[in-house]
Amino acid sequence: MKLNPDVKGVWVFGNIVRTIFWTILTFIIDLFVLKNIDSYRLDLGVISGIIFISGLLVSFVFPHFKYKYFEFELQDEELFLSRGVFIHTNTFIPLARIQHIDLEQSILDRMYGLSKIVVHTAGTRSDELTIPGLPLHYAEEVRDFLRKFIKEDVV
Amino acid sequence: MDNVHFSRLSPLTILLRILQRIPGLVIPVYFIYTQNDKTEFYFLIISIFLGLIFFSFYLFDFIFYKYLITDKEVVIKQGVIAKKERVIPIEKIQNIAMEQTFLMKLLGLCVLKIETAGDTSMEGELNCVSLKKGNELSDYLKNLKHNFEQTVTLADESIANELEEDKVNTQNPTQDEETLIFELPTNQLLLFGLINLRLTLLPIIFWIFGIVSTYANTYIKEIIDRIEDTFEGVGNQISNIEIALYIVASIILFVISSVVIDIIFTFNTYYNFKLTKSKNKLYTSRGLLNTIKGAIPINKLQMIVLKTNVLKEYLGFYGLRLETAGGGRFNGAEIAIPFAKLELILDTLKHILPIEFPDDYLKISKKSIARNIFKQIVTLIIIAFFLNYFSDKNLFYNLYFDLVLGFITVLIFPFAFLSWKNKGYKITERQVFIKVGVVYKSVKVIPINKIQTLSISQSIWTRFLGLAKVTIDTAATSNQFDAGLRDLDIESANEIFDILSKSFYKLSKEAKHIEKI
């Protein structure tokens, strides 16, 4: 299943915010640290400019690919996740292994009425089992489905 | 879900947060106060403003933090701007702990920690509730867990069994018979330390060097100057052969002292090593100066690792490490057999888990060699340029630097081939075997029914080569980086993925079946 296309907007926004953060940070470093180093030859603001422009480019282009490669499939006994642009990963999660479930909403998510589900297993590398860009009511449905399943499986 | 049933934390929490904040404010307040004595008024306003902001943060945190504890699950809702809702099923709770700091004691509060087997940061925490409420809740949860344990039998291997065992052990420690299944004879300790091949001295030397160079920089410079002064005339008299001899001698000295230290360490750590077995738990006990005891619940076993190095393998000696879930004292990993002949280890393993090690392993793709060589050479080039950038002279004109670079480059090729040759995997009905390592070798055994998640991933570069990586995630916490198979052909990777997911279901159905009986 594909994610809700609105999630691209969330990612674009998030990336822009991040780009601005890094631009300001590098500018501050430029102003207070790099300027005082003699062997540093670039003009003030060059690095932040590069970061700003390339960041904006990436901000608008990358989410499309990220969206294109993100798929999930909720079946009776397992959850399949398929994601990643540069490193593409398919993950198989037996539902019986789920330890707990988080439903998260960032401020950007809320502007679009979206939310993400984070599934935790006892495994060590599974913090990344996140399904972003689900409409809130649907996310709640999924959460309740998963929750029921955990109970049934164990007792 | 109705909001009516949700409860809030104790209101005193806000006061506690403010009180906790005060010590951190002392230093900045002191500085501002002593340096700008003319701007006291503004300072007062700013501090009141900041205080109000902090207060409102705490207030909103408090208002938006709600929890609900039912007989099935714990739900925690939090977040003012970014919302978060966490659901922890009761049966997944591993441990309930109550904590109190001094301040909390004064205010009659406590933190209720609900720990699960997942990541340690992912657990539920009620910070803070009143002491009375905390006691009530923890009793309630413990009761629920207790009831739950009685209904659960074989299938849920992870939590319930361990808790039951713990109870049995605390009530009647002598009830279970403990049988000795392995003992490390003292005379083998010497051999063990001798061929351990751990360069224990190396980090120690670097450590000492680091300390000395930071604290006695000028002193060292003086010494070096003095040495240079004395040897100014002598330098020409020493021949190259002599220099080479000195280098060889110091390397030999280094290795010998390293081995001696290793022997001492080994003696201290593994003296009087015993592995005993009760009904479904293993106990280890070892140590000369401190006796260290460990317990391994057999049904919590996540991974078994058979370890050796080139020297040990040549002499037929191996070690066995067992990994369990949960970050305990030893990060979930416990040495079950430090050092023994292979037959003895296999015999002992029969008491723990019936495992047949395969004779032949399947190979990973040959493209792995090319990929490794490429990767190492790129890394080497980056390091070389990095070093060159930070040195005063052009290092590439230096003969010795070039020689070392060439030497390493030549070494990369056989090493890549050997590491391919030593890698292998085998999937049987119940276990996955993964063999890795050139100098330090190991065989990892992962029981298929302990798999948590299964991933197959491809980077752009490996996709181009038609390779893929399969990651088998278990709850074993110590060896998190290499419980996977790199550089498989995409077809065989998909095949492994299918086989593993199918046999996972087969085994979990079997477990359910046993449970019903």
Side-chain angles (χ1 to χ4, degrees), chain B residues 187-207:
Chain B
N187 54 5
Q188 271 192 5
L189 272 174
L190 188 71
L191 187 63
F192 180 29
L194 197 65
I195 61 177
N196 218 352
L197 282 187
R198 283 187 310 183
L199 297 175
T200 29
L201 254 191
L202 206 60
I204 295 174
I205 285 174
F206 275 121
W207 183 60

Side-chain angles (χ1 to χ4, degrees), chain B residues 28-44:
Chain B
V29 164
Y30 174 78
F31 273 107
I32 294 169
Y33 204 77
T34 48
Q35 286 183 357
N36 305 342
D37 42 350
K38 281 175 192 168
T39 51
E40 262 173 55
F41 178 66
Y42 295 106
F43 168 64
L44 197 68

Side-chain angles (χ1 to χ4, degrees), chain A residues 77-78 86 88-92 94 97-103 105 110 120 125-127 143 147, chain B residues 73 81-83 85-87 89 92 122 449 451-452 454-460 473 480 505:
Chain A
E77 288 192 322
E78 69 255 332
F86 296 114
H88 192 75
T89 309
N90 293 329
T91 308
F92 155 88
R97 289 305 193 206
I98 295 176
Q99 293 277 339
H100 56 261
I101 309 147
D102 284 349
L103 189 71
Q105 256 192 320
R110 280 164 80 191
H120 298 276
R125 274 176 309 277
S126 4
D127 327 338
R143 196 253 333 258
R147 181 151 65 174
Chain B
E73 62 204 10
I81 296 165
K83 299 257 176 206
E85 192 177 324
R86 168 162 295 172
V87 180
K92 301 285 183 188
M122 298 303 159
N449 59 344
I451 292 175
Q452 292 283 341
L454 207 59
S455 304
I456 177 166
S457 53
Q458 276 187 311
S459 68
I460 290 179
D473 193 16
Q480 41 181 300
Y505 281 123

Side-chain angles (χ1 to χ4, degrees), chain B residues 22-271:
Chain B
I22 287 173
L25 284 177
V26 167
I27 294 169
V29 164
Y30 174 78
F31 273 107
I32 294 169
Y33 204 77
T34 48
Q35 286 183 357
N36 305 342
D37 42 350
K38 281 175 192 168
T39 51
E40 262 173 55
F41 178 66
Y42 295 106
F43 168 64
L44 197 68
I45 287 182
I46 288 171
S47 52
I48 287 172
F49 181 67
L50 280 178
L52 276 178
I53 286 180
F54 271 120
F55 180 72
S56 56
F57 272 155
Y58 295 143
L59 189 69
F60 279 119
D61 264 348
F62 170 73
I63 290 172
F64 285 92
Y65 198 107
K66 294 174 191 163
Y67 66 92
L68 174 72
I69 298 181
T70 68
D71 53 349
K72 302 260 163 48
E73 62 204 10
V74 179
V75 184
I76 297 173
K77 276 184 173 181
Q78 65 184 101
V80 184
I81 296 165
K83 299 257 176 206
K84 195 168 180 178
E85 192 177 324
R86 168 162 295 172
V87 180
I88 306 170
I90 297 281
E91 53 266 33
K92 301 285 183 188
I93 295 175
Q94 297 273 28
N95 192 19
I96 299 144
M98 265 167 56
E99 281 180 13
Q100 260 192 323
T101 60
F102 180 68
L103 261 180
M104 289 178 192
K105 239 178 224 169
L106 286 182
L107 294 171
L109 297 172
C110 68
V111 183
L112 193 71
K113 279 191 175 167
I114 302 163
E115 289 164 16
T116 65
D119 222 296
T120 40
S121 60
M122 298 303 159
E123 54 212 19
E125 199 178 65
L126 299 181
N127 188 358
C128 315
V129 289
S130 66
L131 192 58
K132 196 180 145 215
K133 187 99 183 173
N135 277 323
E136 262 174 44
L137 289 177
S138 96
D139 284 348
Y140 179 67
L141 285 174
K142 275 177 187 159
N143 238 335
L144 280 179
K145 271 196 74 60
H146 183 70
N147 293 340
F148 167 72
E149 280 156 33
Q150 286 169 344
T151 53
V152 169
T153 46
L154 263 171
D156 191 49
E157 61 281 328
S158 55
I159 345 147
N161 276 331
E162 201 234 359
L163 283 165
E164 259 164 43
E165 278 159 34
D166 281 351
K167 224 180 291 154
V168 169
N169 286 332
T170 45
Q171 280 163 5
N172 298 315
T174 48
Q175 194 191 38
D176 286 344
E177 253 181 61
E178 285 185 20
T179 46
L180 185 73
I181 54 175
F182 175 79
E183 199 175 7
L184 187 65
T186 315
N187 54 5
Q188 271 192 5
L189 272 174
L190 188 71
L191 187 63
F192 180 29
L194 197 65
I195 61 177
N196 218 352
L197 282 187
R198 283 187 310 183
L199 297 175
T200 29
L201 254 191
L202 206 60
I204 295 174
I205 285 174
F206 275 121
W207 183 60
I208 292 171
F209 187 76
I211 287 177
V212 170
S213 61
T214 40
Y215 289 107
N217 223 340
T218 46
Y219 185 63
I220 284 182
K221 240 181 203 163
E222 251 172 48
I223 291 179
I224 289 173
D225 282 347
R226 206 172 294 165
I227 289 173
E228 273 175 0
D229 285 346
T230 10
F231 281 95
E232 209 163 327
V234 192
N236 301 326
Q237 293 165 17
I238 303 174
S239 67
N240 285 340
I241 298 167
E242 270 174 284
I243 293 174
L245 274 179
Y246 278 126
I247 291 171
V248 169
S250 51
I251 288 174
I252 289 172
L253 190 72
F254 171 74
V255 169
I256 287 174
S257 45
S258 196
V259 165
V260 168
I261 285 182
D262 207 351
I263 289 173
I264 294 167
F265 270 122
T266 312
F267 248 93
N268 184 31
T269 335
Y270 293 113
Y271 180 76

